[in-house]
Structures are given as C-alpha cells and as structure tokens.
Amino acid sequence: MPRVTVIGTGYLGLTHAVCLADLGHEVLAIDIDEDKIARAANGEALFFEPGLEPLLRKNLDAGRLRFTTSFAEVGAFGAVHFLCVGTPQGEGGGADLSFVNAAADALAPHLTAECLIVGKSTVPVGTARQVMSQVQAIAPASRQVDLAWNPEFLREGHAVQDSLTPDRIVVGVTSGRAEALLREVYARPLAGGVPLLVMDLETAELVKVAANAFLATKISFINAMAEVCEATGADVIPLAEALGYDARIGRRFLSPGLGFGGGCLPKDVRAFRATASALGVDSVVSLLTSVDAINQGRRDQVVALARDAAGATLDGTRVAVLGVAFKPNSDDVRDSPSLAVCDQLRAEGAIVSVHDPVAMPNAAKKRPDLVYARSVSEAAQGADLVLHLTEWSDYQAIDPAALARVVARPVIIDARCCLDAELWRAAGWTVRVLGRP
Ligand SMILES: NC(=O)c1ccc[n+]([C@@H]2O[C@H](COP(=O)([O-])OP(=O)(O)OC[C@H]3O[C@@H](n4cnc5c(N)ncnc54)[C@H](O)[C@@H]3O)[C@@H](O)[C@H]2O)c1
C-alpha cells in the first residue's frame, strides 16, 4: 500500500488523515501551525466533530498516524501527498489560492522520487494544472511527479462517516498510474461498493463547485419560496414537505430558514461566480448573484422580525440568541449567519446574550465583546426576545414552560423553522417563524 501524507490538518485534512489511517494506511500529516500539530499528536481533535477524537486516538495508538511540521520528512515519507489546505474567499470574492501555492512550493523541493500529489481542496477550475506546472518546475524528480484532483464532499458534523463511506469518489487524472494509485488508496470503500468516477482534472475541479452551487441554489430556492409565503400568509413548511415528496426534487436541502453559512458554501458560491465572470459565463454569474443575495436577505429578515416583535425598535431590547455555530453538530463559526444577525442586532442597540453547546470558544475569538452564557436559561434571563438561530437538537428539547419563567417577555423567533410552535404557544409564548403565518 502506498504511504500517504496529508498537508493541512483543518476540518478537511485532519478528518482525511484519521480516516485514511483507519482504512489501514500509514499516514503522516503536516500543518504550518505548530500548536495544531502538537495537539493532534497528543490525541486532541482540533475541532468538534462527532466520532473523530476516538478514531484519532485509536490510529495514533496503532502507530499508523503521525504528525510533523517538516516538509522534508513529508517528501521522504509519502508516495501519495494529499493537499488539504484552505482556499478562503479572497479580494473581489474569488478564491485565495495563496495557501495552495505556498504548500506546493514548500513540498516541491523535497520530491526526489516518483510520487503523486492529490488536491482535495475546493479550487477554481484550472488550478490543478497550474499547481502541476508549479511543482514540476521545482521538484528534483519533476518527471516522476504526477498530479490528480480528488475533491472532497464531507459535511461537518458527519465528516467521519462521509469520509469512510462517501456517496462517490471523484478523481481527475492525467495518467493511468495516478488512477491506479488512487484505486489502491481507496481500495476499501471501493470494495464496499462506493462508485469511483474518473475524469479529467478540470471536470473534477468543477464537480465540487457545481455541487456546492446546486446545494446553495436549493437552499436559496426554498428561502425565496418562504418570502412568497411571508407575503401571502402561506406556510413554507408543508410547501417544502409536499415538494420534497417529488422524487425529482427530494426533501434534502429544502429546509427554509436563516440560510447557509460556514467555511464552504458562501465562499464557494462567490468563488464560482468570480470564475464564471472571468470566463464570461453570464448565466452562472446572475444565478449565483441571486443565490447569494437571497441567502444574505434571510439575515435581514430575521432582524426585521425581531424589530417588529420588539415594537419597532431594538434599542435597549434584551435579546437571547440560541446558537452561534453555522450549523448544528459543528463548532465552526466561519460566516455564521447567527453572528451576522448578532452584529446587526447590536448595531441597532440591542443587548445580546448568546448560547451555543460547543461553538462559544470559537465565537469568542471572533467576537470577544459578545456576552456568552453558560446555559440557555442564563442567556434568556430577563430577555425581551429569544432568537433560535442554530437548530441544535438541545434547543428542540427545551421546556418552554420553564424558560417562560426566566424571560421578561415570552416571545421567540424560530429562524430555523424546527421548534414545535404549538408546544411553545401552549406554554404562553408568542412564536414567530420565518416563512410561516
Ligand atoms: N470544512 C469542510 O467541511 C470542507 C468540505 C469539503 C471541502 N473543503 C475544502 O477543503 C479545504 C480546506 O478546508 P478546511 O475547512 O479544512 O480549512 P481549515 O482552514 O480548517 O484548514 C486548513 C489548514 O491548512 C493549514 N495550512 C495552511 N497553509 C499550509 C501550508 N502551506 N502547509 C501546511 N498546512 C497549511 C492551516 O494551518 C489549516 O490548519 C478548502 O478548500 C475547503 O473548501 C472543506
């Protein structure tokens, strides 16, 4: 079996390294962040991801997984190098490829024997070929260095399961040797029936951005329908349910509410729009401009509802915010819709207290001046308004009668459309739900 390295140990890279080790590979993972490497080597998952930490420890103990900060060690160790560094939003909305370029520059001088670099980061179409020439210009064994692109589709909160048993494995290759090596790396999931789709580099890069653009479009579509419901008194929940029964449409990614956030969909939509603009593909530019605008509009809509519920002004209103993670089962607050709503509330003079089961330490790094409560009831103490902004299952288990006793006014806005409104109303709450009468 080829020895494998993983470059970048963020949400994607650490999960990938742990799961490859669990598939039986010898894995060496590297990051430029020495603190992350020390903690991971010590068995600490670097972020909240169900099931990841036990698997990390198991594979450290088995000796299949190691961590380093030395690219020389990585170059000497691996026959397959997975590139998993970040591709955040750059100026003008396009992807910032500086981490990809820096990682390729750092690795290339140490490639002295036949090997395969496999990009997993989400990148604009054309990046793979550019990285290939960049590496081949520097690598001592340049003629023996091959490159493939193998986009990743894992979902935070389900990352381990998605990595071990993905819906499909997509690989963009330029040689039979690259395909054969990737078939070896993924032998176990392939033997378990996971489909392998082999294509050219450009198409593989595009599959990932197209998938994210489609998912974002689906969310913004149902949120646009929620706007129609808000204007007409119709109810978006049975509407979504009825649409979802149509096998051609499907129910998933059709949950109305506050819209998408996180480290992937928003920046991937904007990066794809920037690529389409550079290519002159106006249809994609206008589609994705609308998708993004609808999504941002949901944040404004929650604030408008809050203003209305507070009696025209938020100035001096005490607001308890439930949830700051961009989605449940994650501590990721990158482009968190909840934090954006908190910013708007505070800009209008509201006094905001927030709670989240796991994401408060990350939120505190970005918004150190927010008030963080240790429990839901502490956040809601004396509140005029409660906002449900991330759909953690903990919040669906809240006893509305008990919470009614600690607030100043029992008014809640459910921006994720998943609380049992009748139960809350029965306990004396005024309940407003995005997209529902
Ligand atoms: N997070 C997800 O759910 C997910 C899912 C699919 C695809 N992706 C894609 O995967 C890529 C990584 O995303 P992420 O969420 O893991 O980002 P992240 O910011 O959590 O992790 C990136 C890591 O790369 C490290 N790094 C940066 N430069 C480096 C270098 N030169 N050498 C070694 N390490 C370096 C950083 O220190 C960081 O630990 C992005 O392109 C993203 O779009 C992410």
Side-chain angles (χ1 to χ4, degrees), residues 6-15 30-34 36-37 46-47 49 68 71 83-88 96-107 120-123 149 151-157 159 208 212 262-265 267-268 326-327 332 334:
V6 174
I7 300 164
T9 60
Y11 287 87
L12 163 62
L14 183 64
T15 312
I30 184 169
D31 203 288
I32 46 170
D33 185 329
E34 291 180 9
K36 279 189 177 179
I37 288 301
L46 304 169
F47 44 87
E49 182 61 51
T68 183
F71 272 99
L83 204 50
C84 299
V85 298
T87 50
D96 172 359
L97 294 175
S98 59
F99 298 104
V100 172
N101 293 332
D105 279 343
L107 175 67
K120 283 197 83 64
S121 304
T122 305
V123 292
W149 217 264
E152 177 58 54
F153 301 96
L154 68 79
R155 299 160 299 163
E156 287 173 29
K208 173 65 187 179
N212 275 2
C264 290
L265 284 192
K267 63 125 176 123
D268 290 349
F326 88 94
K327 70 171 189 176
D332 197 345
R334 291 179 287 183

Side-chain angles (χ1 to χ4, degrees), residues 409-435:
R409 291 174 63 225
V411 183
I412 185 163
I413 293 172
D414 180 9
R416 293 296 183 179
C417 310
C418 61
L419 296 179
D420 183 343
E422 287 320 306
L423 187 75
W424 284 74
R425 288 190 180 116
W429 287 78
T430 300
V431 183
R432 310 276 296 266
V433 187
L434 278 190

